[in-house]
Amino acid sequence: MTTAAVDIDLARSFGLKDDEYEKVLSIMGRTPSLTELGIFSVMWSEHCSYKSSRLHLKTLPTKAPWVIHGPGENAGVVDIGEGLAAVFKMESHNHPSFIEPYQGAATGVGGILRDVFTMGARPIANLNALRFGAPDNADTKRVVDGVVRGIGGYGNCVGVPTVGGEVNFHRSYNGNPLVNAMTVGLAQQDRIFLSAAAGVGNPVVYVGSKTGRDGIHGATMSSAEFDAESSSKRPTVQVGDPFTEKLLIEACLELMATDAVVAIQDMGAAGLTSSAVEMASKGGIGIDLELDHVPQREANMQAYEMMLSESQERMLMVLRPDRTEAARKIFEKWELDFAIVGHLTDSGRITVRHKGQVEADIPLGPLADEAPIYDRPTEPYDVPAPLTTPADPVGIEGALRTLLASSDIASRAWIWNQYDSTVGGQTVQRPGGADSAIVRVEGTKRGLAMTTDCTPRYGQADPYVGGAQAVAEVWRNLTATGAKPLAMTDNLNFGSPENPRIMAQFVQAVKGIGDAGRALDFPVVSGNVSLYNETRGEDGQATAIQPAPVIGGVGVFEDVAQSIGLAMPEEGELLLVGETRGELGQSLWLREVCGREEGAPPRVDFAEERRNGDFVRGQIQQGAVDACHDLADGGLLVALAEMVMASGNGCKLQTAPHGMAEHAYWFGEDQARYVVVTRQADAFMAQADAAGVPVRRLGHAGGETLQLADDISLTAQQLRDLHESFFPHLMGAE
C-alpha cells in the first residue's frame, strides 16, 4: 500500500471519531505515524475496546466459589472437581460471515479454539449459535451453505467435535447474519496460563503461521454497520487453515507442559497489535517489537500491515530466556514458525521498529486505559401489553404440522450431519438426543453438559425479558439432562449503540442477564459484544437485527452415567412440571400460524425457574426420571412430538384442562416448565407437592403414535416427514 497522509480524514476512514482523533493528538503530543494511527484505531474500535458496553457489562455477576477466572482473560475458567477445570468462551464472527460465509465462519471457529487453548486447555467440544435471514431471501441459501460448511470444515479438520448449537431465521438478519462460535476445553487447575506479560528483558516470541495481508482492519470493519459496498470488504476477511491450527494446539500444549511460558496470547482481532498491547499493559510493563523478524508470507509488507493483519493461526508468547531454544525445537518439530520478535522493557510503551526506523512509539497506559468509554443515551422502550388469546384458525393438528415444518423448529439434521460430533470418542449425547450436548471427561466418571440459546423475538418485544429468558432457558437445558449448571458465557449481538433505542435494548438485556444470573447462581465468566449489526440500504436507512443476547452454558455431572436425554421411552407416565398459563405473545404459534409478531413475551419468574429446576434435577439425579425435555419454542405439543421423533416410541395424551383454550395450552410458551417421563409418578408428584412445585399428569408413553384423544394420531415417521422437510427444500436437496 502507498503511504497515506495522516490527518483527520484518514482517521475517520479508520473508524475514529473527530474527538477521538483529537485525543490521540493530545496523548502523542504530535501527529501520529500511519502505523500509530492504525494501532489507535483498532485498539479503540468498538470490537476491541467495548467502549459502548463496558459500563454495563460491569454490572453482571461474575463470581462464585467454583469460578477460577472470570471476564478479563482469554476465556472463563470454572472448577469441575478432581483438580480439573472447564475453560470456555463464545465469540462472534458476524460481519465476515456475510461477506465470505465459508471463511468467516471457519475463522470464527479457529479464533475461539485459540482463546481456549491459550489458557492451557485442550479443546473438547465446539458449539455455535446461528441467525440467518428469511428463507425466501436471495442471500440466505448462500450464507447458510457457506457458514455450515465453514464450521464443519474447520472443526472436523482440527479434530474437535461440534456437539451442539441453535439456528433461527428472520428477515432482520437478511443482510447481517450472526455466527457465534463457542469452545469448551479441559485443563488442570494448576496449569492455567494467563496473558499478563512479566520480566523485563524476557523475549517476545511469535509462533504459528506467517503473516499476510488478510484481515487488515477486520476489527474496524466489525465495528461498523454494513452498506451496499460491503462486498468490497472481502480483503478484511481472514483465511483459515485448520491443519495448521491442529499443529499449533499440539505444539502449544506440549510447550505448556514445561516451565517455559511466562505469558501467552492469541493473535485475534487486531492481530499483533492487540496481543502485544494487551499482554504488556496487563503486566504494567513495556514492549519493543522488531518487525524485521516477523515471519511474512507476502513481499514488501509495511509495518502498518504487519501490526494490523489478522492472519490466522498465530500466537504471541513471553518465554523464559533459558527455555527459548527448547521452545524453538518444539515448534520446529511441529513445522511451525518460531521467531523472537521483541523483548519486554520497563518503558511502559510499545515501540515498533522496521528496517531500522521507529514506526510507532506509544505510551501503553493511555492506549489501553484511555480508550473512550461512552455512557450512550437511551430512550424509553415501550413493552407491548400481554396478548389476548387469539382465535384458533387451523386446529391443533394443523398448527402442529405447520410448526414442525417451520424454519425455527424444523430438524437441524441437515446441519449437524455435516459436523463430526463424535471425534475424540467422548461424546455421550449427539445433537438432537438431549436438551444439552453431553461430553465425558476422559479418565473420570465426570461429564460436562453444554448448550447455547436465545429467543430474539422475545428480546425485540421486551429486551429485559429477552436477556433473562435466554439465561433461564440455557439453565433449564442443562438441568433437563441432570447436570448442575455452573456458569455462562454471553455473546451480545445488537445494532448500532449510537441509536438510543438500540442502546436501550442493550442496557435492558444486560440487566435481564444479570438478574437471571444472580437468581440462578449462574455467573458470567466470559463473553463477547458485537454491535453495529445492521444494514444500511440504498435509501440510507439502517435496518437493525432482532437483538440476540446469546447465552452459552456449561454444567457438570459427578457421574455422567446419571445423565438423561429427551427420547420418549417405551413406558412410563408423562408429567408436566410447572404452571401453564397459555402465553401466546411472541410465540412461534402466533408467528407461523397467524402471521403475527405481537404481544408481550412469556414472563420469566426467577423463583419459579429455580424451584422447578432444582426439583427436576434432584429427581433425575435420584434416578426417578427416564426422559426429560424443557418447554420452549412451540410449547408443549411440539416438545412431545420431539420426544416421540427422538426414539420412535409414541404416547397417549390427555386433553387440555377445562377452562383453557386448547391451542393456548398446547402451544403457549410459558417458561419454567419441563416434561418428564417416570415410572414413579405417584412418588414424584408427592415430592413435588411437598416442594411447592406444580405438576400435572399428561398421559402415558407407549404405542407407535402421538395420540391426542380421538382427534390426532400421528406416527413418528409422519412427524419426521414434516420435521425434516425444511432444510432439504431450502438448500435444494430435494
mmCIF file of all heavy atoms in Angstrom, residues 228-264:
data_model
loop_
_atom_site.group_PDB
_atom_site.id
_atom_site.type_symbol
_atom_site.label_atom_id
_atom_site.label_comp_id
_atom_site.label_asym_id
_atom_site.label_seq_id
_atom_site.Cartn_x
_atom_site.Cartn_y
_atom_site.Cartn_z
ATOM 1 N N ALA A 228 -24.190 -0.905 1.038
ATOM 2 C CA ALA A 228 -24.224 -1.518 -0.287
ATOM 3 C C ALA A 228 -22.843 -1.897 -0.797
ATOM 4 O O ALA A 228 -22.709 -2.679 -1.734
ATOM 5 C CB ALA A 228 -24.909 -0.574 -1.276
ATOM 6 N N GLU A 229 -21.790 -1.332 -0.214
ATOM 7 C CA GLU A 229 -20.427 -1.611 -0.664
ATOM 8 C C GLU A 229 -19.747 -2.699 0.161
ATOM 9 O O GLU A 229 -18.538 -2.889 0.060
ATOM 10 C CB GLU A 229 -19.587 -0.322 -0.586
ATOM 11 C CG GLU A 229 -20.187 0.861 -1.347
ATOM 12 C CD GLU A 229 -20.367 0.554 -2.820
ATOM 13 O OE1 GLU A 229 -19.468 -0.078 -3.398
ATOM 14 O OE2 GLU A 229 -21.416 0.935 -3.375
ATOM 15 N N SER A 230 -20.491 -3.415 0.970
ATOM 16 C CA SER A 230 -19.868 -4.364 1.895
ATOM 17 C C SER A 230 -19.063 -5.437 1.183
ATOM 18 O O SER A 230 -18.065 -5.922 1.712
ATOM 19 C CB SER A 230 -20.938 -5.017 2.768
ATOM 20 O OG SER A 230 -21.464 -4.079 3.678
ATOM 21 N N SER A 231 -19.483 -5.836 -0.005
ATOM 22 C CA SER A 231 -18.742 -6.892 -0.693
ATOM 23 C C SER A 231 -17.316 -6.487 -1.005
ATOM 24 O O SER A 231 -16.441 -7.333 -1.176
ATOM 25 C CB SER A 231 -19.468 -7.284 -1.988
ATOM 26 O OG SER A 231 -19.557 -6.162 -2.855
ATOM 27 N N SER A 232 -17.054 -5.169 -1.062
ATOM 28 C CA SER A 232 -15.688 -4.709 -1.334
ATOM 29 C C SER A 232 -14.779 -4.929 -0.142
ATOM 30 O O SER A 232 -13.561 -4.759 -0.240
ATOM 31 C CB SER A 232 -15.698 -3.221 -1.702
ATOM 32 O OG SER A 232 -16.070 -2.436 -0.577
ATOM 33 N N LYS A 233 -15.350 -5.301 1.021
ATOM 34 C CA LYS A 233 -14.547 -5.513 2.222
ATOM 35 C C LYS A 233 -13.999 -6.932 2.312
ATOM 36 O O LYS A 233 -13.464 -7.328 3.334
ATOM 37 C CB LYS A 233 -15.395 -5.211 3.463
ATOM 38 C CG LYS A 233 -15.845 -3.747 3.539
ATOM 39 C CD LYS A 233 -16.740 -3.489 4.735
ATOM 40 C CE LYS A 233 -17.171 -2.027 4.784
ATOM 41 N NZ LYS A 233 -18.124 -1.748 5.864
ATOM 42 N N ARG A 234 -14.106 -7.701 1.243
ATOM 43 C CA ARG A 234 -13.627 -9.079 1.250
ATOM 44 C C ARG A 234 -12.187 -9.210 1.741
ATOM 45 O O ARG A 234 -11.860 -10.156 2.461
ATOM 46 C CB ARG A 234 -13.780 -9.677 -0.158
ATOM 47 C CG ARG A 234 -13.634 -11.178 -0.213
ATOM 48 C CD ARG A 234 -13.964 -11.679 -1.612
ATOM 49 N NE ARG A 234 -15.313 -11.342 -2.008
ATOM 50 C CZ ARG A 234 -16.347 -12.140 -1.856
ATOM 51 N NH1 ARG A 234 -16.195 -13.302 -1.279
ATOM 52 N NH2 ARG A 234 -17.548 -11.778 -2.246
ATOM 53 N N PRO A 235 -11.260 -8.283 1.400
ATOM 54 C CA PRO A 235 -9.896 -8.432 1.911
ATOM 55 C C PRO A 235 -9.782 -8.354 3.425
ATOM 56 O O PRO A 235 -8.755 -8.742 3.989
ATOM 57 C CB PRO A 235 -9.136 -7.272 1.246
ATOM 58 C CG PRO A 235 -9.923 -6.947 0.025
ATOM 59 C CD PRO A 235 -11.355 -7.185 0.411
ATOM 60 N N THR A 236 -10.812 -7.823 4.114
ATOM 61 C CA THR A 236 -10.738 -7.754 5.572
ATOM 62 C C THR A 236 -11.135 -9.075 6.226
ATOM 63 O O THR A 236 -11.109 -9.188 7.443
ATOM 64 C CB THR A 236 -11.653 -6.645 6.115
ATOM 65 O OG1 THR A 236 -13.003 -6.933 5.775
ATOM 66 C CG2 THR A 236 -11.257 -5.284 5.566
ATOM 67 N N VAL A 237 -11.517 -10.076 5.434
ATOM 68 C CA VAL A 237 -11.886 -11.379 5.972
ATOM 69 C C VAL A 237 -10.659 -12.288 5.962
ATOM 70 O O VAL A 237 -9.984 -12.431 4.946
ATOM 71 C CB VAL A 237 -13.025 -12.018 5.143
ATOM 72 C CG1 VAL A 237 -13.377 -13.389 5.698
ATOM 73 C CG2 VAL A 237 -14.250 -11.111 5.147
ATOM 74 N N GLN A 238 -10.386 -12.898 7.108
ATOM 75 C CA GLN A 238 -9.215 -13.738 7.234
ATOM 76 C C GLN A 238 -9.417 -15.078 6.515
ATOM 77 O O GLN A 238 -10.533 -15.481 6.216
ATOM 78 C CB GLN A 238 -8.914 -14.009 8.711
ATOM 79 C CG GLN A 238 -8.877 -12.766 9.569
ATOM 80 C CD GLN A 238 -10.208 -12.487 10.249
ATOM 81 O OE1 GLN A 238 -11.269 -12.660 9.662
ATOM 82 N NE2 GLN A 238 -10.137 -12.045 11.498
ATOM 83 N N VAL A 239 -8.315 -15.773 6.283
ATOM 84 C CA VAL A 239 -8.333 -17.091 5.658
ATOM 85 C C VAL A 239 -7.755 -18.082 6.657
ATOM 86 O O VAL A 239 -6.666 -17.866 7.195
ATOM 87 C CB VAL A 239 -7.515 -17.095 4.351
ATOM 88 C CG1 VAL A 239 -7.494 -18.493 3.746
ATOM 89 C CG2 VAL A 239 -8.092 -16.084 3.365
ATOM 90 N N GLY A 240 -8.489 -19.146 6.928
ATOM 91 C CA GLY A 240 -8.066 -20.089 7.954
ATOM 92 C C GLY A 240 -7.464 -21.361 7.397
ATOM 93 O O GLY A 240 -7.725 -21.749 6.255
ATOM 94 N N ASP A 241 -6.659 -22.028 8.216
ATOM 95 C CA ASP A 241 -6.043 -23.306 7.874
ATOM 96 C C ASP A 241 -6.153 -24.218 9.092
ATOM 97 O O ASP A 241 -5.333 -24.148 10.010
ATOM 98 C CB ASP A 241 -4.576 -23.112 7.480
ATOM 99 C CG ASP A 241 -3.888 -24.423 7.119
ATOM 100 O OD1 ASP A 241 -4.491 -25.496 7.309
ATOM 101 O OD2 ASP A 241 -2.735 -24.370 6.662
ATOM 102 N N PRO A 242 -7.173 -25.088 9.156
ATOM 103 C CA PRO A 242 -7.381 -25.905 10.349
ATOM 104 C C PRO A 242 -6.259 -26.896 10.615
ATOM 105 O O PRO A 242 -6.028 -27.284 11.767
ATOM 106 C CB PRO A 242 -8.701 -26.625 10.061
ATOM 107 C CG PRO A 242 -8.827 -26.621 8.574
ATOM 108 C CD PRO A 242 -8.203 -25.332 8.127
ATOM 109 N N PHE A 243 -5.555 -27.320 9.576
ATOM 110 C CA PHE A 243 -4.464 -28.271 9.788
ATOM 111 C C PHE A 243 -3.316 -27.604 10.532
ATOM 112 O O PHE A 243 -2.693 -28.195 11.419
ATOM 113 C CB PHE A 243 -4.014 -28.851 8.447
ATOM 114 C CG PHE A 243 -5.117 -29.582 7.733
ATOM 115 C CD1 PHE A 243 -5.752 -29.022 6.629
ATOM 116 C CD2 PHE A 243 -5.552 -30.824 8.185
ATOM 117 C CE1 PHE A 243 -6.778 -29.682 5.983
ATOM 118 C CE2 PHE A 243 -6.586 -31.500 7.541
ATOM 119 C CZ PHE A 243 -7.199 -30.927 6.443
ATOM 120 N N THR A 244 -3.040 -26.336 10.199
ATOM 121 C CA THR A 244 -2.036 -25.591 10.955
ATOM 122 C C THR A 244 -2.511 -25.359 12.382
ATOM 123 O O THR A 244 -1.722 -25.429 13.334
ATOM 124 C CB THR A 244 -1.746 -24.243 10.265
ATOM 125 O OG1 THR A 244 -1.225 -24.497 8.957
ATOM 126 C CG2 THR A 244 -0.725 -23.431 11.054
ATOM 127 N N GLU A 245 -3.806 -25.092 12.552
ATOM 128 C CA GLU A 245 -4.340 -24.889 13.899
ATOM 129 C C GLU A 245 -4.138 -26.136 14.756
ATOM 130 O O GLU A 245 -3.793 -26.043 15.946
ATOM 131 C CB GLU A 245 -5.830 -24.545 13.839
ATOM 132 C CG GLU A 245 -6.444 -24.277 15.187
ATOM 133 C CD GLU A 245 -6.657 -22.803 15.496
ATOM 134 O OE1 GLU A 245 -5.972 -21.972 14.892
ATOM 135 O OE2 GLU A 245 -7.491 -22.494 16.344
ATOM 136 N N LYS A 246 -4.355 -27.310 14.177
ATOM 137 C CA LYS A 246 -4.156 -28.552 14.922
ATOM 138 C C LYS A 246 -2.698 -28.670 15.371
ATOM 139 O O LYS A 246 -2.421 -29.026 16.527
ATOM 140 C CB LYS A 246 -4.543 -29.748 14.052
ATOM 141 C CG LYS A 246 -4.243 -31.105 14.675
ATOM 142 C CD LYS A 246 -5.002 -31.335 15.970
ATOM 143 C CE LYS A 246 -4.790 -32.758 16.477
ATOM 144 N NZ LYS A 246 -5.378 -32.943 17.830
ATOM 145 N N LEU A 247 -1.760 -28.355 14.493
ATOM 146 C CA LEU A 247 -0.347 -28.385 14.870
ATOM 147 C C LEU A 247 -0.062 -27.371 15.978
ATOM 148 O O LEU A 247 0.703 -27.646 16.908
ATOM 149 C CB LEU A 247 0.532 -28.089 13.651
ATOM 150 C CG LEU A 247 0.425 -29.050 12.465
ATOM 151 C CD1 LEU A 247 1.329 -28.588 11.329
ATOM 152 C CD2 LEU A 247 0.781 -30.471 12.883
ATOM 153 N N LEU A 248 -0.695 -26.198 15.862
ATOM 154 C CA LEU A 248 -0.475 -25.147 16.851
ATOM 155 C C LEU A 248 -0.999 -25.569 18.228
ATOM 156 O O LEU A 248 -0.364 -25.303 19.256
ATOM 157 C CB LEU A 248 -1.156 -23.857 16.384
ATOM 158 C CG LEU A 248 -0.851 -22.579 17.169
ATOM 159 C CD1 LEU A 248 0.630 -22.258 17.149
ATOM 160 C CD2 LEU A 248 -1.652 -21.405 16.582
ATOM 161 N N ILE A 249 -2.159 -26.216 18.253
ATOM 162 C CA ILE A 249 -2.694 -26.717 19.521
ATOM 163 C C ILE A 249 -1.691 -27.666 20.166
ATOM 164 O O ILE A 249 -1.343 -27.537 21.352
ATOM 165 C CB ILE A 249 -4.044 -27.438 19.311
ATOM 166 C CG1 ILE A 249 -5.137 -26.446 18.903
ATOM 167 C CG2 ILE A 249 -4.463 -28.188 20.582
ATOM 168 C CD1 ILE A 249 -6.447 -27.123 18.495
ATOM 169 N N GLU A 250 -1.231 -28.631 19.396
ATOM 170 C CA GLU A 250 -0.338 -29.646 19.968
ATOM 171 C C GLU A 250 0.992 -29.041 20.405
ATOM 172 O O GLU A 250 1.527 -29.391 21.466
ATOM 173 C CB GLU A 250 -0.120 -30.781 18.959
ATOM 174 C CG GLU A 250 -1.386 -31.520 18.561
ATOM 175 C CD GLU A 250 -2.156 -32.088 19.747
ATOM 176 O OE1 GLU A 250 -1.533 -32.451 20.759
ATOM 177 O OE2 GLU A 250 -3.396 -32.152 19.661
ATOM 178 N N ALA A 251 1.533 -28.128 19.614
ATOM 179 C CA ALA A 251 2.814 -27.512 19.971
ATOM 180 C C ALA A 251 2.670 -26.670 21.231
ATOM 181 O O ALA A 251 3.527 -26.715 22.129
ATOM 182 C CB ALA A 251 3.320 -26.666 18.811
ATOM 183 N N CYS A 252 1.592 -25.875 21.317
ATOM 184 C CA CYS A 252 1.400 -25.025 22.497
ATOM 185 C C CYS A 252 1.201 -25.865 23.756
ATOM 186 O O CYS A 252 1.778 -25.565 24.815
ATOM 187 C CB CYS A 252 0.214 -24.090 22.291
ATOM 188 S SG CYS A 252 0.530 -22.735 21.136
ATOM 189 N N LEU A 253 0.386 -26.919 23.668
ATOM 190 C CA LEU A 253 0.148 -27.746 24.839
ATOM 191 C C LEU A 253 1.416 -28.486 25.257
ATOM 192 O O LEU A 253 1.669 -28.677 26.459
ATOM 193 C CB LEU A 253 -1.000 -28.717 24.583
ATOM 194 C CG LEU A 253 -2.381 -28.075 24.424
ATOM 195 C CD1 LEU A 253 -3.438 -29.128 24.120
ATOM 196 C CD2 LEU A 253 -2.782 -27.281 25.667
ATOM 197 N N GLU A 254 2.216 -28.890 24.282
ATOM 198 C CA GLU A 254 3.495 -29.523 24.624
ATOM 199 C C GLU A 254 4.407 -28.531 25.336
ATOM 200 O O GLU A 254 5.056 -28.863 26.339
ATOM 201 C CB GLU A 254 4.170 -30.067 23.370
ATOM 202 C CG GLU A 254 5.490 -30.766 23.660
ATOM 203 C CD GLU A 254 6.124 -31.400 22.429
ATOM 204 O OE1 GLU A 254 5.409 -31.657 21.445
ATOM 205 O OE2 GLU A 254 7.353 -31.638 22.466
ATOM 206 N N LEU A 255 4.463 -27.303 24.837
ATOM 207 C CA LEU A 255 5.301 -26.290 25.477
ATOM 208 C C LEU A 255 4.780 -25.967 26.875
ATOM 209 O O LEU A 255 5.566 -25.758 27.814
ATOM 210 C CB LEU A 255 5.336 -25.022 24.623
ATOM 211 C CG LEU A 255 6.186 -23.871 25.166
ATOM 212 C CD1 LEU A 255 7.650 -24.271 25.244
ATOM 213 C CD2 LEU A 255 6.010 -22.625 24.306
ATOM 214 N N MET A 256 3.457 -25.909 27.023
ATOM 215 C CA MET A 256 2.875 -25.573 28.317
ATOM 216 C C MET A 256 3.140 -26.639 29.374
ATOM 217 O O MET A 256 3.011 -26.380 30.571
ATOM 218 C CB MET A 256 1.367 -25.342 28.156
ATOM 219 C CG MET A 256 1.029 -24.044 27.442
ATOM 220 S SD MET A 256 -0.716 -24.014 26.955
ATOM 221 C CE MET A 256 -0.901 -22.288 26.460
ATOM 222 N N ALA A 257 3.473 -27.835 28.942
ATOM 223 C CA ALA A 257 3.819 -28.886 29.897
ATOM 224 C C ALA A 257 5.192 -28.652 30.514
ATOM 225 O O ALA A 257 5.559 -29.321 31.479
ATOM 226 C CB ALA A 257 3.766 -30.249 29.213
ATOM 227 N N THR A 258 5.967 -27.711 29.961
ATOM 228 C CA THR A 258 7.254 -27.316 30.519
ATOM 229 C C THR A 258 7.044 -26.055 31.371
ATOM 230 O O THR A 258 5.918 -25.600 31.552
ATOM 231 C CB THR A 258 8.268 -27.023 29.409
ATOM 232 O OG1 THR A 258 7.943 -25.774 28.771
ATOM 233 C CG2 THR A 258 8.257 -28.128 28.352
ATOM 234 N N ASP A 259 8.148 -25.482 31.847
ATOM 235 C CA ASP A 259 8.033 -24.246 32.628
ATOM 236 C C ASP A 259 8.537 -23.046 31.842
ATOM 237 O O ASP A 259 9.026 -22.080 32.411
ATOM 238 C CB ASP A 259 8.795 -24.373 33.950
ATOM 239 C CG ASP A 259 10.281 -24.642 33.728
ATOM 240 O OD1 ASP A 259 10.677 -24.876 32.567
ATOM 241 O OD2 ASP A 259 11.036 -24.630 34.711
ATOM 242 N N ALA A 260 8.388 -23.101 30.495
ATOM 243 C CA ALA A 260 8.966 -22.060 29.647
ATOM 244 C C ALA A 260 8.086 -20.830 29.504
ATOM 245 O O ALA A 260 8.585 -19.728 29.272
ATOM 246 C CB ALA A 260 9.265 -22.631 28.255
ATOM 247 N N VAL A 261 6.760 -20.980 29.626
ATOM 248 C CA VAL A 261 5.832 -19.914 29.267
ATOM 249 C C VAL A 261 5.598 -18.974 30.447
ATOM 250 O O VAL A 261 5.174 -19.392 31.524
ATOM 251 C CB VAL A 261 4.484 -20.493 28.782
ATOM 252 C CG1 VAL A 261 3.516 -19.374 28.442
ATOM 253 C CG2 VAL A 261 4.697 -21.405 27.579
ATOM 254 N N VAL A 262 5.866 -17.686 30.219
ATOM 255 C CA VAL A 262 5.551 -16.656 31.203
ATOM 256 C C VAL A 262 4.156 -16.097 30.953
ATOM 257 O O VAL A 262 3.375 -15.873 31.880
ATOM 258 C CB VAL A 262 6.596 -15.519 31.161
ATOM 259 C CG1 VAL A 262 6.226 -14.397 32.130
ATOM 260 C CG2 VAL A 262 7.986 -16.054 31.453
ATOM 261 N N ALA A 263 3.828 -15.850 29.704
ATOM 262 C CA ALA A 263 2.517 -15.320 29.314
ATOM 263 C C ALA A 263 2.256 -15.715 27.872
ATOM 264 O O ALA A 263 3.197 -15.929 27.096
ATOM 265 C CB ALA A 263 2.469 -13.803 29.459
ATOM 266 N N ILE A 264 0.985 -15.783 27.516
ATOM 267 C CA ILE A 264 0.634 -16.200 26.158
ATOM 268 C C ILE A 264 -0.686 -15.552 25.766
ATOM 269 O O ILE A 264 -1.580 -15.370 26.602
ATOM 270 C CB ILE A 264 0.558 -17.739 26.056
ATOM 271 C CG1 ILE A 264 0.251 -18.183 24.612
ATOM 272 C CG2 ILE A 264 -0.429 -18.327 27.055
ATOM 273 C CD1 ILE A 264 0.441 -19.675 24.399
#
